[in-house]
């Protein structure tokens, strides 16, 4: 690890000021990703700013009937939060299998959303890839079995590593961020393609309303691994008919992937097995797999179908 | 100067703030029980309890434990004797090379404390230990030892005495259960 200066920020303003630095300054929260990256020389910050004490560690109800979650809230505290569990079950479903118990005990909500890609080229200091300021993505002509099957028209083919990002987008969350120009709120779906010169402070969840939600993950291993593909669906219902819905896929694209074709296939339909199968088929209709990951297409289809069945209360294997 | 509570006693160390808790424990606090495996939060060998919850001490800068309670494997014994959990690991052969053992014990101790006398299912034990890798045992004996310790603890709690086996509560049948019963009998003899 390269030597660096350490700053302990105690307020949001402090943190922003300390991160504005003529050199490389990076925020430290749980440290579960940053410290490992520093040990591997993937990142060599000159200044590390501890933001854990500067940012909110709690969750609180909002006046609109929703909840706001502080970026410094630990994943384990989110998991044990009874009200969030009741109102937003898909968030808990996604948080349950993040990393290991040790990582959930130390990792934060903000850290989970902002962790860097898990791509093996990104994580190898020898490869200066697009995500590290280089000019190419080595997965294109390399080993890409865990890479993207959607959103492959862009320059990078990583899959977004955050488990929480997917249900947050599905519930229509907004993120509160602060920077040197002040604070603002952005839609969760926009956040992941923004320049990273602002600091995430809160996740704002709207009141879910009359919705049915489902979450399904396909994994090689039961724990201690990232899913191969997963899906959260949040469906606004009118009796037994789906009025509108959000279908968001994870681990399949460089960002949490909202599937418009699947959402269109659900709108106005009764919530049953045929609808689920049609929406899942629609979701993968726009897949563009790489040389080594076409196998992920049927896995993604299964994740969408079972997430919808899960929302319908129909048991899957 | 960083102050924290280590295995129940106040401790002060004068170290760089970003020094890993793992190194502070081993080098500055003379507690080498906590082991380093991967150094990246993947193997769990360096697990310690931080305010009652397991964390990988290789990924915790010591500055983040200021004012916190830290428990290492050295803090799990009962007055200088192995705890029921440690005894079960020994009796059931749940340790081989030993590198993962301190982390396994710390994580299992947290599980048993949360279980409050209930015997966790095999699935629960496996899930709780998911962040602790072992390359020797194949895990089965570790899972068995944790559950054997929980059975001992729950029976002790239910019966109110350490050695007595209440009639009708027998879980006899497997060789494993017999072995652990023998172990408990031996233990109570030694204590007696």
């Amino acid at each position: 690890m390269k030597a660096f200066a350490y700053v302990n920020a105690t307020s949001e303003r402090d943190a922003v000021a300390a991160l504005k630095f003529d050199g490389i300054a990076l925020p430290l929260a749980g440290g579960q990703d940053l410290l490992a990256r520093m040990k591997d020389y993937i990142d060599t910050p000159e200044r590390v700013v501890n933001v854990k004490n500067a940012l909110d560690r709690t969750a609180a109800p909002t006046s609109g009937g929703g909840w706001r979650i502080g970026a410094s809230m630990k994943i384990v505290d989110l998991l044990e939060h009874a009200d969030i569990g009741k109102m937003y079950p898909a968030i808990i479903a996604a948080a349950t299998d993040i990393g290991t118990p040790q990582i959930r005990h130390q990792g934060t909500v903000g850290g989970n959303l902002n962790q860097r890609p898990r791509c093996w080229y990104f994580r190898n200091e020898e490869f200066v890839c697009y995500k590290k300021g280089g000019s190419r993505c080595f997965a294109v002509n390399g080993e890409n079995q865990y890479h993207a099957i959607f959103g492959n028209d862009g320059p990078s083919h990583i899959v977004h590593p955050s488990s929480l990002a997917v249900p947050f987008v599905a519930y229509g969350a907004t993120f509160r961020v602060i920077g040197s120009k002040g604070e603002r709120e952005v839609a969760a779906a926009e956040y992941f393609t923004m320049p990273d010169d602002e600091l995430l402070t809160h996740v704002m969840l709207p009141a879910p309303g009359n919705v049915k939600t489902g979450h399904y993950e396909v994994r090689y291993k039961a724990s201690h691994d990232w899913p191969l593909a997963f899906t959260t669906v949040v469906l606004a219902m009118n009796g037994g008919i789906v009025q509108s819905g959000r279908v968001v896929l994870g681990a399949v694209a460089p960002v949490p992937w909202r599937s418009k074709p699947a959402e269109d296939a659900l709108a106005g339909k009764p919530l049953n097995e045929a609808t689920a199968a049609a929406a899942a088929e629609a979701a993968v209709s726009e897949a563009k797999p790489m040389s080594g990951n076409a196998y992920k297409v049927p896995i993604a289809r299964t994740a969408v179908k079972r997430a919808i069945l899960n929302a319908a209360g129909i048991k899957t294997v | 100067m960083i102050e924290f509570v280590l295995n129940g006693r106040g401790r002060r160390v004068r170290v760089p703030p970003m020094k890993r808790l793992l190194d502070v424990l081993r080098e500055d606090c003379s507690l080498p029980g906590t082991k380093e495996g991967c150094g990246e939060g993947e193997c769990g060998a360096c697990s310690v309890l931080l305010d009652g919850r397991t964390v990988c001490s290789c990924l915790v800068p010591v500055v983040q434990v200021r004012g916190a309670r830290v428990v290492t494997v050295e803090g799990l014994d009962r007055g200088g004797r192995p705890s029921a959990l440690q005894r079960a690991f020994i009796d059931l052969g749940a340790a081989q090379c030993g590198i993962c053992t301190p982390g396994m014990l710390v994580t299992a101790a947290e599980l048993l404390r949360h279980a409050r006398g209930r015997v966790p299912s095999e699935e629960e034990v496996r899930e709780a230990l998911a962040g602790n890798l072992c390359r020797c045992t194949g895990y089965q004996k570790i899972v068995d030892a944790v559950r054997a310790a929980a059975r001992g603890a729950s029976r002790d709690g239910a019966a109110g005495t350490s050695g007595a086996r209440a009639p009708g509560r027998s879980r006899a049948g497997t060789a494993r259960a017999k072995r652990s019963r023998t172990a408990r009998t031996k233990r109570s003899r030694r204590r007696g």
Side-chain angles (χ1 to χ4, degrees):
Chain A
M1 204 186 278
K2 251 179 90 174
F4 55 89
Y6 173 80
V7 178
N8 182 32
T10 51
S11 70
E12 289 180 355
R13 191 181 292 186
D14 264 10
V16 171
L19 285 166
K20 200 168 151 55
F21 169 67
D22 194 19
I24 307 169
L26 291 175
L28 167 75
Q32 308 298 282
D33 181 24
L34 177 62
L35 296 181
R37 260 160 39 221
M38 288 166 65
K39 287 177 187 185
D40 288 342
Y41 294 90
I42 307 303
D43 277 293
T44 49
E46 291 146 303
R47 176 185 279 185
V48 169
V49 180
N50 180 22
V51 297
K52 201 151 108 177
N53 303 320
L55 303 179
D56 193 355
R57 294 173 178 223
T58 62
T62 62
S63 54
W67 279 81
R68 60 186 252 159
I69 298 172
S72 270
M73 188 172 195
K74 287 183 178 172
I75 292 164
V76 64
D77 294 332
L78 180 68
L79 274 169
E80 292 174 357
H81 199 290
D83 291 322
I84 291 175
K86 250 180 250 158
M87 282 174 80
Y88 308 100
I91 293 173
I92 303 305
T96 302
D97 287 324
I98 290 173
T100 63
Q102 284 88 337
I103 288 169
R104 295 192 291 271
H105 292 164
Q106 190 73 352
T108 62
V109 170
N112 182 270
L113 292 169
N114 286 300
Q115 65 185 303
R116 299 293 282 145
R118 299 288 161 179
C119 167
W120 36 46
Y121 297 109
F122 178 87
R123 296 273 160 177
N124 185 325
E125 67 169 312
E126 306 294 325
F127 291 89
V128 183
C129 73
Y130 180 78
K131 281 284 180 183
K132 285 186 283 191
S135 57
R136 54 186 285 216
C137 174
F138 292 90
V140 177
N141 297 314
E143 300 278 328
N144 53 35
Q145 51 266 49
Y146 300 125
H147 288 73
I149 56 170
F150 294 97
N152 273 333
D153 299 331
S156 171
H157 303 270
I158 59 136
V159 294
H160 197 272
S162 171
S163 294
L164 295 177
V166 169
F168 286 158
V169 172
Y171 280 113
T174 55
F175 291 173
R176 177 178 176 268
V177 296
I178 49 166
S180 41
K181 287 181 196 148
E183 64 167 87
R184 64 189 181 118
E185 273 187 40
V186 295
E190 309 295 316
Y191 177 80
F192 300 100
T193 49
M194 276 169 26
D196 59 356
D197 54 356
E198 287 164 298
L199 189 61
L200 173 72
T201 69
H202 289 91
V203 174
M204 318 290 290
L205 291 163
N210 178 26
V211 294
K212 286 188 187 288
T213 63
H215 184 87
Y216 195 89
E217 302 187 353
V218 181
R219 296 170 167 269
Y220 264 139
K221 297 191 279 182
S223 60
H224 205 163
D225 200 2
W226 280 266
L228 291 169
F230 65 106
T231 304
T232 303
V233 297
V234 176
L235 309 173
M237 302 299 295
N238 186 0
I241 305 292
V242 180
Q243 209 167 31
S244 63
R246 286 202 189 83
V247 177
V248 188
L249 284 78
V252 293
V255 292
W257 189 257
R258 196 168 158 187
S259 176
K260 185 87 174 41
E263 292 174 7
D264 290 345
L266 285 168
K269 300 276 166 36
L271 196 50
N272 57 30
E273 283 212 57
T275 308
E281 202 57 55
V284 295
S285 65
E286 55 176 2
K288 283 187 194 166
M290 302 173 76
S291 59
N293 66 9
Y295 78 100
K296 282 181 69 167
V297 175
I299 288 176
R301 182 170 56 209
T302 300
V304 175
K305 184 180 168 189
R306 290 186 182 172
I308 297 169
L309 293 176
N310 183 225
I314 299 170
K315 218 171 148 86
T316 57
V317 281
Chain B
M1 187 73 80
I2 292 163
E3 287 183 47
F4 58 104
V5 179
L6 178 56
N7 294 332
R9 287 189 182 170
R11 181 89 206 193
R12 285 177 178 197
V13 288
R14 191 184 292 278
V15 293
M18 286 298 284
K19 189 168 183 177
R20 303 184 302 177
L21 175 59
L22 169 65
D23 297 326
V24 172
L25 293 171
R26 291 178 59 89
E27 295 167 5
D28 301 285
C29 302
S30 305
L31 293 178
T34 306
K35 301 288 185 271
E36 175 163 18
C38 67
E40 302 198 330
E42 289 174 11
C43 75
C46 65
S47 296
V48 299
L49 295 176
L50 178 58
D51 284 335
R53 281 172 168 159
T54 48
V55 299
C56 294
S57 60
C58 74
L59 290 183
V60 178
V62 68
V63 66
Q64 293 198 341
V65 307
R66 180 171 275 148
R69 286 173 292 117
V70 175
V71 177
T72 69
V73 69
E74 289 92 345
L76 296 183
D77 66 345
R78 292 283 169 268
R81 288 167 175 269
S83 66
L85 178 66
Q86 289 168 314
R87 197 69 246 167
F89 265 61
I90 297 166
D91 293 338
L92 297 186
Q96 278 181 239
C97 88
I99 290 286
C100 77
T101 311
M104 289 285 181
L105 287 168
V106 165
T107 309
E110 185 202 5
L111 171 71
L112 295 188
R113 210 192 54 241
H114 279 284
R116 294 180 188 188
R118 187 176 59 83
V119 181
S121 70
E122 178 155 342
E123 196 54 39
E124 280 175 89
V125 177
R126 286 183 182 276
E127 183 54 42
L129 295 177
N132 295 76
L133 302 189
C134 171
R135 300 292 81 177
C136 306
T137 63
Y139 299 102
Q140 190 59 49
K141 291 185 175 186
I142 294 173
V143 175
D144 292 346
V146 174
R147 299 192 70 217
R151 277 195 291 273
S154 71
R155 202 206 42 230
D156 288 357
T161 56
S162 63
R165 190 170 190 83
R169 282 179 173 266
S170 169
R171 297 178 70 97
T174 65
R176 192 173 74 218
K178 279 177 195 156
R179 269 205 306 279
S180 67
R181 202 160 58 238
T182 316
R184 280 197 295 271
T185 315
K186 275 185 194 156
R187 185 183 68 226
S188 52
R189 268 197 211 121
R190 261 198 298 278
R191 272 183 183 163

